[in-house]
Amino acid sequence: MNDWPEGWSDDNRGTRYGRGSSGATPEGARVMRQVRRPAPGARPGPSAPQYGAVPPQPSYVDGGEAPGGYDDGYDSGYNTGHVYGSPAGRGPAGPGGGGPRPAPNWRRRIKWTAITLATVLVVTTVGTYFWADSKLRREVDLSKVIDRPSSGEGTNYLIVGSDSREGMSKEDKKKLHTGSAEGKRTDSMMILHVGSSGDTLISLPRDSDVEIPSYKGSQSGKTYPATGRHTKLNAAYAEDGPELLVRTVEYNTGLHIDHYVEIGFAGFANIVDAVGGVEITIDKPFKDKYSGADFQAGKQTLNGEQALAFVRTRHAFAASDLERTKNQQKFLAALAHQVATPSTVLNPFKLYPTMGAGLDSLIVDKDMGLYDLGSMFFAMKGVNGGDGTSMNMPISGSRGGNLVWDKAKVKTLVNELNNDEKVTVAGN
C-alpha cells in the first residue's frame, strides 16, 4: 500500500538524503515560515486549499519572497543569527530602546539653581524685614518735645538703659539683683553721634546737675513753665518719662536729639544670652553686693546675669558713676561688635533669637526705622574697634553731690558734633 497522500510518491519528493534517498548530500536546513497578518485594507491572498491537498511551498532560502505580498522581503533573521534588542538587553519597546541617555545640561541646571536661591534669599530677606519692623515698640513721641534746637550734621541717638523690671518674675529679680522698686528710672544715658568724621559715644552721668526747662506733659498735654529748678538728670525721666528727658538733654546741651532708644534690665540680659555671651577684658577685679558683681581681672565671656551686674556696678569704684559709665560704654560697644559678627549675622539659629530678644525689649521713638537701628549698632561697633571716640561728658566739679558739666567744653563739643567735625574735647 502506498503510504503517501493521493498523487504523491517517492518520485515526487525530489532528491533526498539518507535512508531511502538517492541524494548524495544532506538537504538544506528547513526554515520555519514567518507568518504575518495582512495589513488593514490589504488584498487577501489565495484561498486556502481543500482539505487533504498540500499547497506548493515557496522557498525562503536566499531571501525568497512569499506569494501574496505577506512577507514583503521580511527576513526573520533566525537563519543568520540576528538578535533583536538594545545592547543593554532591553527590547525595542523597552524603556531603554531609544539609544543612550543624553548628557545633562549643566548650564541650564546651574542657571535655575541660581534663580531659585536668589528668589529664596529675596523672599527671606523681605519677610525678615517686615517681621523685625513689626516688633519695634515705637512708643516715644518726640513731636511732644517743645522748643527744640536746630538739627546739625549727622545723626544723634539718645540711648537709655532703664531699671524697668517689666516682664520679670520674682525669681528673675532675685537672680539679677534688681530689687522690686515700682516704676522705672534711668540707670545709664548716652549720646551716640553718627557722622562722616567719626562716631562719638558720650556718657551722661545719671548724677549730672541739670536745669529742668519748660515742657509739655507727655500725658496731660499741659505746658509746665520753667522755674530754674536744678536736679539730677535721671530725675527728669522719673518725672515725665522719655519726652522730658529728651527736652532736658537738648536744653542743657544745645544738641538736637534725632532718635531715642531705651532698653530695660530683662531685655539687656536676654540679648546677651541670645548672642551666646559677650567677651570682654576686665582690667581690675571688683565685687559689689548691690549689683551682684564678682569679677576677676582678665579676658572672659559674660552671660546675661553677669553682664547686667557689670554695667550696673558703681559702689565698688572710687569714681562711682563716672567709672560705671566707662564700663557701660565698654560693654555696649563689645555687645554691638558681637551682634554684628558673621557668626551671628549668618547663623539663623543665633540671629533670629538675638533679634527677637532685642526688638521685643527695645522702646524707640515713632520715627525710628530698622535702618536707623542698624546704623546705631554698627556705629557702636566702630567705636569699639577704634574708629570713633568714647568719652564722659566733661565735668568741672560738683554741686550738692551732683556732677556739674564744664560749660565751655560742652559748648565746643556740641559745635563740633553739629558741624560733624572731629571731636577734640576730652571728657572725664
Side-chain angles (χ1 to χ4, degrees):
M1 178 181 289
N2 185 1
D3 295 334
W4 296 99
E6 184 178 356
W8 283 70
S9 66
D10 285 341
D11 295 337
N12 301 112
R13 298 170 61 192
T15 305
R16 301 289 303 277
Y17 171 77
R19 183 178 179 181
S21 172
S22 60
T25 59
E27 61 183 314
R30 293 187 178 181
V31 181
M32 180 180 292
R33 179 178 179 179
Q34 182 72 23
V35 180
R36 297 180 62 182
R37 292 178 180 272
R43 297 177 60 186
S47 60
Q50 295 281 336
Y51 174 77
V54 178
Q57 300 295 311
S59 173
Y60 294 95
V61 180
D62 296 329
E65 191 172 307
Y70 286 120
D71 289 329
D72 296 329
Y74 176 79
D75 183 1
S76 68
Y78 287 103
N79 61 331
T80 56
H82 290 176
V83 178
Y84 288 85
S86 68
R90 294 184 290 269
R101 183 174 298 174
N105 189 334
W106 288 109
R107 295 180 65 180
R108 183 181 178 87
R109 290 188 179 185
I110 293 173
K111 171 186 174 181
W112 283 107
T113 299
I115 291 175
T116 301
L117 291 177
T119 302
V120 170
L121 180 61
V122 169
V123 171
T124 302
T125 301
V126 172
T128 299
Y129 177 87
F130 284 104
W131 167 78
D133 188 71
S134 68
K135 295 180 76 67
L136 277 178
R137 299 172 59 184
R138 297 181 175 93
E139 300 176 6
V140 179
D141 188 357
L142 295 183
S143 67
K144 295 180 180 179
V145 181
I146 62 174
D147 300 331
R148 308 189 68 186
S150 300
S151 298
E153 300 294 327
T155 304
N156 299 314
Y157 299 84
L158 180 60
I159 304 171
V160 175
S162 76
D163 65 358
S164 170
R165 295 153 179 85
E166 180 182 2
M168 296 175 64
S169 64
K170 291 182 179 179
E171 292 73 17
D172 293 332
K173 295 174 183 178
K174 182 177 180 181
K175 177 183 177 182
L176 299 177
H177 301 271
T178 64
S180 299
E182 295 297 328
K184 59 181 181 179
R185 287 152 292 277
T186 53
D187 240 31
S188 62
M189 289 160 284
M190 302 178 189
I191 294 175
L192 174 66
H193 174 81
V194 180
S196 58
S197 297
D199 305 319
T200 305
L201 186 62
I202 308 164
S203 284
L204 311 176
R206 55 179 275 176
D207 294 337
S208 296
D209 183 89
V210 295
E211 180 180 345
I212 300 297
S214 61
Y215 68 96
K216 180 185 290 186
S218 59
Q219 300 298 324
S220 66
K222 179 181 178 181
T223 299
Y224 297 88
T227 61
R229 175 168 53 101
H230 280 251
T231 185
K232 292 181 180 181
L233 181 58
N234 69 337
Y237 181 95
E239 186 172 330
D240 198 51
E243 288 84 358
L244 179 55
L245 177 62
V246 171
R247 167 70 174 135
T248 303
V249 169
E250 289 187 339
Y251 177 82
N252 285 268
T253 63
L255 190 67
H256 182 91
I257 300 300
D258 298 292
H259 292 295
Y260 177 90
V261 181
E262 177 187 328
I263 187 168
F265 283 160
F268 179 80
N270 289 340
I271 292 175
V272 175
D273 286 334
V275 83
V278 175
E279 186 177 82
I280 195 169
T281 300
I282 298 177
D283 299 325
K284 297 178 181 180
F286 63 88
K287 188 174 183 178
D288 181 15
K289 67 177 182 179
Y290 296 100
S291 66
D294 187 2
F295 297 106
Q296 299 299 317
K299 183 179 290 186
Q300 49 204 288
T301 299
L302 306 185
N303 61 25
E305 177 184 350
Q306 295 168 324
L308 188 59
F310 180 79
V311 299
R312 293 184 62 221
T313 297
R314 64 171 179 162
H315 296 284
F317 310 124
S320 187
D321 204 32
L322 290 177
E323 188 67 28
R324 177 171 70 168
T325 57
K326 292 179 181 179
N327 283 342
Q328 290 171 347
Q329 288 182 347
K330 183 177 183 179
F331 187 85
L332 288 178
L335 173 60
H337 178 79
Q338 180 68 26
V339 170
T341 56
S343 62
T344 300
V345 175
L346 300 179
N347 183 354
F349 297 103
K350 290 182 68 175
L351 176 62
Y352 285 98
T354 301
M355 291 179 65
L359 296 173
D360 279 340
S361 56
L362 287 179
I363 297 175
V364 300
D365 65 271
K366 293 184 180 297
D367 294 326
M368 173 73 86
L370 288 179
Y371 176 83
D372 302 307
L373 195 60
S375 176
M376 183 192 79
F377 274 102
F378 277 100
M380 294 182 71
K381 177 185 176 183
V383 170
N384 180 65
D387 295 332
T389 302
S390 60
M391 57 185 291
N392 277 322
M393 186 63 81
I395 304 297
S396 61
S398 63
R399 180 188 298 122
N402 297 339
L403 299 173
V404 178
W405 295 351
D406 189 319
K407 292 184 179 181
K409 290 185 176 180
V410 170
K411 184 177 180 180
T412 301
L413 173 63
V414 170
N415 285 337
E416 291 174 341
L417 294 178
N418 278 331
N419 295 322
D420 202 14
E421 300 172 351
K422 183 71 175 178
V423 171
T424 60
V425 177
N428 296 77

